[in-house]
Amino acid sequence: MLKKVIQDENLHYLHMIFNKGEGLPEHYSNSVVYMTVLRGQLSIRLDDHEAHQYEAATVLKIPFKTKMNVNNLDDETLELIVVKAPAPVK
């Protein structure tokens, strides 16, 4: 589930929930991305590095144009807040 909480010219504030086996398709960040793990365990691979797992209360800063692969490999539901700032330009 992806809910766009705020999406204006300054930033995008997104609420994401993923069940086991769900995630985002591999893509490049279109802005600086701040990702906060609220619940569960985030599995993320950045550029060509190995995937890492992050627990609840972790905040990540992902630079612009970073290749990313976001997944939930854990049984517990993964819940994230994602902030893109500045707002991506189309």
Side-chain angles (χ1 to χ4, degrees):
M1 182 210 67
L2 183 142
K3 180 179 179 186
K4 297 174 183 175
V5 179
I6 299 170
Q7 192 166 4
D8 65 18
E9 68 280 357
N10 298 308
L11 64 83
H12 290 181
Y13 185 101
L14 310 165
H15 181 215
M16 299 181 182
I17 298 176
F18 299 110
N19 294 316
K20 183 177 183 175
E22 296 179 339
L24 298 172
E26 186 173 87
H27 65 286
Y28 286 86
S29 57
N30 56 0
S31 183
V32 175
V33 176
Y34 301 89
M35 192 174 288
T36 304
V37 182
L38 298 179
R39 176 172 49 132
Q41 184 169 297
L42 168 67
S43 177
I44 187 168
R45 185 168 42 87
L46 300 174
D47 288 326
D48 294 322
H49 302 285
E50 290 188 29
H52 290 279
Q53 283 72 40
Y54 296 95
E55 302 287 333
T58 301
V59 179
L60 301 173
K61 179 181 178 184
I62 302 165
F64 179 55
K65 293 187 179 180
T66 300
K67 183 168 64 171
M68 54 195 298
N69 193 316
V70 174
N71 291 291
N72 179 11
L73 304 177
D74 200 54
D75 289 331
E76 185 179 354
T77 300
L78 171 62
E79 185 173 5
L80 304 169
I81 293 295
V82 176
V83 176
K84 296 180 180 185
V89 177
K90 293 182 181 184

